[in-house]
Amino acid sequence: MTTPQESPPEPTTGSSAPAIADPQSLLGEYQVWNPPRSAAATPASLASLPDEYFEPTPDELKAAWASQSRLVDRLNNAPLKTQATRDQETNQKLSRWPETRIRIKFPNQLLLEKKFPSTDKIKSVYTFVRNALTDEAKPIKFILYEAPPRRELKVSDPEVKTKSLARLGLAPSSVLHLSFVDDALNSTRNPPPLLPEVLRKAVDLPPPPTFAEPSSSGGKGKGRSTGGGGLGDMKIGDMKLGDIKLPKWLNLGNK
């Protein structure tokens, strides 16, 4: 007597293993910009400059003190704003700038850019950055902040997490610096711990605009030139830029 053979079990359509989301679907539309190729603004070049270079002149100190005094007077004499006034200003920003462009600057100057609804909270920015990190770097905490002056935007801060990007003053566009709690990831020379597919999208920033040489037959401008044009010949009202004494730190890119 032969026993009937058991038929193989039919495959089940359901699966207990969770589906792995595609990183690109989590990130949405974004851009990645390479660090600037000019070495003039890199931390290494700043470190090579002598301390005397960063010492302000007496004229620069007087100008900074006068500017700060005007700011303090303006703030002290400004009328107090009610909550209704602040809400009205925020609504005006939302109607004018419904989206906020955020650029995340990593320690090596690489930029990760994405547009967010201006009504989003800062948590949306943190989530976007974390989804762009490698699996090894995802559990490591990081902080987003503005500078200068440094203003940390932590999701644990009750004054920050409940406000929209517009209420935080980030609309229409802002640059946020990123710092990992693990200092080993804050390298200024190595690429940040981003997903390979994210790093492959990196392109160079578009070149800055250049100023055409003035057609007038006057003398050469006193100021430094940028992209072939003489800034000394540019005028603001009745005053030429060449007649303005620039602080030394403003000429850093031309060193």
Side-chain angles (χ1 to χ4, degrees), residues 57-60 63 239-248 250-251:
T57 64
D59 291 338
E60 292 170 355
M239 182 172 54
K240 287 187 178 182
L241 287 182
D243 299 330
I244 303 175
K245 183 177 181 181
L246 299 178
K248 291 180 292 185
L250 196 56
N251 296 324

Side-chain angles (χ1 to χ4, degrees), residues 43-94:
S45 64
L46 294 177
S48 62
L49 293 173
D51 294 339
E52 293 79 8
Y53 186 87
F54 299 97
E55 292 180 0
T57 64
D59 291 338
E60 292 170 355
L61 289 175
K62 290 179 182 178
W65 175 262
S67 176
Q68 190 67 22
S69 299
R70 290 193 297 268
L71 176 61
V72 172
D73 291 340
R74 187 164 62 250
L75 293 176
N76 289 336
N77 296 328
L80 295 177
K81 296 181 179 180
T82 63
Q83 183 64 40
T85 302
R86 290 194 294 268
D87 292 341
Q88 182 180 5
E89 292 178 352
T90 301
N91 292 333
Q92 291 175 352
K93 289 182 179 180
L94 291 175

Side-chain angles (χ1 to χ4, degrees), residues 198-222:
V198 175
L199 291 175
R200 283 195 294 267
K201 290 191 63 173
V203 296
D204 292 340
L205 283 166
T210 58
F211 299 96
E213 187 72 22
S215 58
S216 61
S217 58
K220 293 182 179 180
K222 299 178 183 178

